[in-house]
Amino acid sequence: LAGPVRDGAVVRYLIAYDSGKSVRFFGRELVDWWARNGKSFDAMLTEAIGDASALSAKCRTFDNRFRSEMLRVGGEKYADIAELAWRQSFAACKFVAGPNGEPFMFSAENDSGGMIGTTDVFYPQFPHLLYSSLVLAKATLAPTCIYAASTNWPYAYAPHDLGLFPVAEGQYYGMKKGQSVGGGTDDTFRMPVEECGNMLILLAAVAKAEGNADFAGRWWGEVTKWAEYLEKFGYDPGNQLCTDDFAGHLAHNANLSIKSIVAIASFAEMARMRGEEAAAAKYRALAEEMVPKWIKAAKGGAYGGTRIAFDRPGTWSLKYNLVWDRVLGLGLFPPEVAEAEMKTYLTLLNPVAPH
């Protein structure tokens, strides 16, 4: 407890807790970012309450800008949802100093397994990270890349998680019997297509924001392996899970196929930035070839949209992975695909119950 500090008519107190060692990362005890240079807890509290007025003003400025932009994009109801999503997005993250003093940020799964640094959890959070800070974006990706490049991860696809929060010492999900849906321990329980797609898309998003692929280049061997994996298995995924855990295992998943196509083109863009023209041309052509195949295979869904899986006519699912085609400026899917999807979703909307 720190305070009281009077600021005009306002009296402030600050209540905080110190977790001491915040995260264990492969044998290294990591401390909160504020403590990286040995600052004491008392000193941090004193600084924090002294900075309260200035930080509050910064927060208000950010909040106003964020709401203004969300109002412009989608109106009042959209802005309300966006603000709530922002709070949820950052509520369960740890920002710490890595083994070499670099910034690391870890997310925690609160109700779906308790895992730390889950790739398909920070995938939907990434627009917030890109919007707020490239430091946070890279701090979220780096631990997974470091793990994937180590001898602790022997697989050709990207990891699902780093362990059980707050211990990041190797993937938990699907590694031992009983630790995943159905108790399986093979590739289908580790979401390989999902996680390769996620990592390639997010690394490409950082590259686009920075104007170079230097960050991804630190782990280019692993990045290349993930692209090669999707080349083999991404277009028509086998019977496995994706981020939509509620759907269970699903073969020929149309939305997961979109993710693979976008991820392959994302790899091509990063290769182009690195001057690897042959790889860029090969993977760009591969992604472009997959698009008309996808449109044909996914046609015939419910309400004029596309199928949940290639072999399930008359079904539907959200194709949210399409958004990265637009965000990254890849220009893969023709606009009418998204337009038809939106018409379908509007048809299926449930009315909002009155308050």
Side-chain angles (χ1 to χ4, degrees):
L1 175 65
V5 172
R6 183 173 294 277
D7 181 9
V10 177
V11 177
R12 288 192 174 89
Y13 291 86
L14 178 64
I15 298 175
Y17 72 91
D18 183 8
S19 57
K21 304 296 183 180
S22 289
V23 170
R24 188 161 74 237
F25 185 71
F26 295 100
R28 298 288 296 271
E29 304 286 353
L30 307 183
V31 299
D32 288 322
W33 183 251
W34 62 264
R36 67 193 182 280
N37 295 321
K39 185 181 294 181
S40 71
F41 188 59
D42 288 350
M44 182 274 289
L45 286 176
T46 301
E47 286 185 19
I49 200 162
D51 291 342
S53 295
L55 290 175
S56 294
K58 285 185 177 181
C59 288
R60 284 192 297 272
T61 298
F62 178 87
D63 289 347
N64 292 337
R65 176 168 64 87
F66 184 78
R67 183 166 184 85
S68 175
E69 292 180 358
M70 296 307 107
L71 284 169
R72 176 179 56 80
V73 170
E76 189 168 350
K77 291 182 179 179
Y78 179 81
D80 290 344
I81 292 173
E83 287 179 326
L84 288 170
W86 184 274
R87 288 170 171 83
Q88 183 185 27
S89 175
F90 286 101
C93 294
K94 272 286 189 181
F95 190 48
V96 301
N100 299 312
E102 69 274 45
F104 277 4
M105 191 161 85
F106 297 95
S107 61
E109 290 196 51
N110 291 327
D111 192 47
S112 53
M115 285 157 276
I116 182 172
T118 302
T119 307
D120 56 286
V121 168
F122 60 68
Y123 168 75
Q125 183 193 24
F126 223 73
H128 284 167
L129 300 177
L130 291 169
Y131 181 90
S132 59
S133 167
L134 275 177
V135 170
L136 294 182
K138 293 192 285 188
T140 299
L141 292 172
T144 299
C145 292
I146 291 169
Y147 173 40
S150 74
T151 55
N152 294 304
W153 183 252
Y155 304 101
Y157 48 82
H160 169 275
D161 63 83
L162 299 174
L164 285 179
F165 191 90
V167 179
E169 295 197 321
Q171 179 165 320
Y172 175 83
Y173 190 70
M175 302 304 285
K176 295 180 182 179
K177 187 172 178 59
Q179 288 182 346
S180 62
V181 178
T185 56
D186 60 22
D187 290 353
T188 64
F189 289 86
R190 299 181 191 136
M191 301 168 68
V193 171
E194 171 75 33
E195 309 307 6
C196 286
N198 290 338
M199 289 301 294
L200 289 173
I201 290 170
L202 301 185
L203 286 166
V206 169
K208 181 176 177 64
E210 292 195 306
N212 63 73
D214 293 351
F215 181 72
R218 293 165 59 182
W219 305 281
W220 194 247
E222 284 62 48
V223 172
T224 301
K225 283 194 295 186
W226 299 337
E228 292 170 347
Y229 190 89
L230 293 185
E231 180 182 2
K232 294 178 181 177
F233 305 110
Y235 168 71
D236 189 8
N239 188 40
Q240 58 191 262
L241 290 169
C242 71
T243 292
D244 300 332
D245 287 356
F246 54 83
H249 277 66
L250 183 66
H252 319 299
N253 186 325
N255 190 37
L256 191 53
S257 178
I258 291 174
K259 179 170 285 184
S260 297
I261 297 169
V262 173
I264 287 170
S266 296
F267 174 76
E269 184 62 14
M270 289 188 286
R272 183 193 64 76
M273 289 180 172
R274 287 171 51 83
E276 300 184 11
E277 299 299 338
K282 172 187 172 181
Y283 282 94
R284 176 67 196 193
L286 181 64
E288 290 179 352
E289 290 166 7
M290 289 178 175
V291 172
K293 288 172 56 181
W294 186 93
I295 293 172
K296 182 178 179 180
K299 187 178 180 180
Y303 307 97
T306 53
R307 308 178 182 195
I308 188 173
F310 295 148
D311 60 344
R312 299 194 183 190
T315 59
W316 71 280
S317 67
L318 292 172
K319 304 302 189 299
Y320 51 80
N321 289 315
L322 278 171
V323 72
W324 287 102
D325 185 24
R326 183 173 296 182
V327 171
L328 297 176
L330 298 172
L332 293 167
F333 288 83
E336 52 265 28
V337 174
E339 290 166 5
E341 285 296 303
M342 290 305 298
K343 289 180 181 177
T344 300
Y345 307 154
L346 292 170
T347 301
L348 291 161
L349 278 177
N350 292 321
V352 177
H355 294 292

